Amino acid sequence: MKTFKKFYIEITSVCNLACSFCPPTNRSKGFIGIDDFTKTLDEIRPHTDHIYFHVKGEPLLHPKIDVLLDLSHERGFKVNLTSNGTLLHKAGPKIMGKPALRQINFSLHSFDGHEGSVDKEGYVGKVLAFAKEAVAQSNVLISLRLWNLTEDNATNVERQRNQDILDQLERTFELDFRIMDQFTRGKGIKLADRIYLNHDHEFKWPDLKEEEDLSRGFCHGLRNQAGVLVDGTVIPCCLDGEGVINLGNIHQTPFSEIVEGERANRLYDGFSRREVVEELCRKCGYRQRFSM
């Protein structure tokens, strides 16, 4: 039986922002229902202990996110949540102190990524206030993300653009060091107990319109992760935001059968041979990190 370190459940495909780094989905917009969510948890329970409320969409938009967290806890799952943090004034009380939550990731780069954002200091301040309270009330980890660096200019424009946020972090947590003095791309900087800052390159979604690279390579898709979109489509990894590699529907076929199906095994066995059999995978820049 395949088991996964991470399993992504898209609880909504709707987002309240339109960030430049996150292309809008062409799929139907929707929110997962309680019955479908419960069935999904029961289907994947033998395969994983850790679920992520994310693929596309803003999870804090889900009107019953508190119920989803409770259902996850009842079944023994630990939940990671990725959010832009702009809806904490509404959803924050619903998720505060929930025992299912293992980690919350706040994408602070959403502010600059969304045209029309206003009051950066106010936005960051609300996220930090929530982070402090959440850590005080529970064992949750907080990751503050600035994923807006580029390969060729990671030391100038982007760093300067982030400086206001970094200054605010240094003041809020009364740091005795300058964050940029300890900066290492991809490595977290501890700001306080269980609160970390992570800098990294801007995320790029794979796209069938991109140029194809060599068909040799490796990926952890269907090895340490898998996912399901809001409509039940099972995907091999969190980067297939459009469900291009449709392995089956969890509402129609048992998940255990889907991940042992013909297309799933062809992808898995291909990577075992360092062969990339899916077109989307051959157009995924993230996979190149594992190429050999």
Side-chain angles (χ1 to χ4, degrees), residues 98-122:
K98 287 294 184 181
L101 280 174
R102 174 189 172 272
Q103 181 169 320
I104 306 176
N105 308 310
F106 288 111
S107 301
L108 298 184
H109 49 280
S110 299
F111 185 91
D112 286 319
H114 177 72
E115 186 176 353
S117 294
V118 294
D119 188 16
K120 181 185 289 187
E121 184 173 358

Side-chain angles (χ1 to χ4, degrees), residues 3-257:
T3 57
F4 307 99
K5 294 180 180 179
K6 306 175 182 179
F7 192 93
Y8 293 83
I9 301 179
E10 182 184 68
I11 63 173
T12 179
S13 57
V14 181
C15 190
N16 62 315
L17 300 184
C19 295
S20 58
F21 54 82
C22 187
T25 179
N26 293 317
R27 296 181 282 115
S28 297
K29 293 179 171 58
F31 295 82
I32 197 168
I34 297 300
D35 289 344
D36 283 346
F37 182 77
T38 302
K39 181 178 184 298
T40 297
L41 292 184
D42 291 340
E43 287 281 331
I44 68 173
R45 186 66 193 89
H47 299 271
T48 190
D49 297 320
H50 292 85
I51 55 178
Y52 291 63
F53 285 0
H54 192 60
V55 178
K56 288 290 187 75
E58 168 52 54
L60 295 190
L61 272 173
H62 199 292
K64 295 184 177 180
I65 189 170
D66 50 342
V67 178
L68 304 186
L69 287 169
D70 288 341
L71 289 169
S72 301
H73 178 63
E74 289 171 7
R75 285 159 176 77
F77 289 102
K78 286 298 183 181
V79 179
N80 281 35
L81 187 70
T82 298
S83 171
N84 58 47
T86 60
L87 299 175
L88 286 173
H89 59 293
K90 292 182 179 180
K94 290 184 177 182
I95 68 173
M96 181 67 72
K98 287 294 184 181
L101 280 174
R102 174 189 172 272
Q103 181 169 320
I104 306 176
N105 308 310
F106 288 111
S107 301
L108 298 184
H109 49 280
S110 299
F111 185 91
D112 286 319
H114 177 72
E115 186 176 353
S117 294
V118 294
D119 188 16
K120 181 185 289 187
E121 184 173 358
Y123 158 67
V124 174
K126 290 175 182 177
V127 172
L128 299 186
F130 175 89
K132 283 187 167 184
E133 185 177 356
V135 166
Q137 289 193 18
S138 67
N139 294 321
V140 71
L141 298 169
I142 302 292
S143 173
L144 306 172
R145 293 177 170 178
L146 284 172
W147 288 7
N148 55 5
L149 304 178
T150 60
E151 294 281 357
D152 58 350
N153 200 14
T155 60
N156 299 313
V157 177
E158 289 81 7
R159 292 195 186 187
Q160 187 58 47
R161 180 175 59 188
N162 291 334
Q163 194 58 55
D164 290 341
I165 293 178
L166 301 185
D167 290 344
Q168 189 171 352
L169 294 176
E170 290 168 2
R171 293 194 305 271
T172 300
F173 294 104
E174 300 179 344
L175 302 182
D176 58 3
F177 61 88
R178 298 288 290 177
I179 291 174
M180 290 313 303
D181 291 342
Q182 297 193 10
F183 168 74
T184 301
R185 187 190 70 79
K187 185 177 181 180
I189 296 175
K190 185 175 181 178
L191 304 177
D193 182 35
R194 286 178 282 123
I195 301 178
Y196 297 85
L197 171 68
N198 287 276
H199 269 125
D200 213 325
H201 292 154
E202 181 173 311
F203 180 80
K204 186 174 182 181
W205 292 87
D207 193 317
L208 290 177
K209 297 178 182 177
E210 295 292 327
E211 284 191 24
E212 197 168 298
D213 67 4
L214 296 176
S215 59
R216 302 288 296 175
F218 178 78
C219 180
H220 294 286
L222 283 186
R223 274 181 161 74
N224 70 7
Q225 66 167 285
V228 59
L229 301 179
V230 71
D231 65 353
T233 299
V234 175
I235 53 177
C237 74
C238 63
L239 304 186
D240 187 3
E242 292 301 294
V244 173
I245 307 175
N246 183 342
L247 301 176
N249 193 290
I250 203 169
H251 303 319
Q252 301 167 2
T253 307
F255 178 75
S256 296
E257 292 183 17

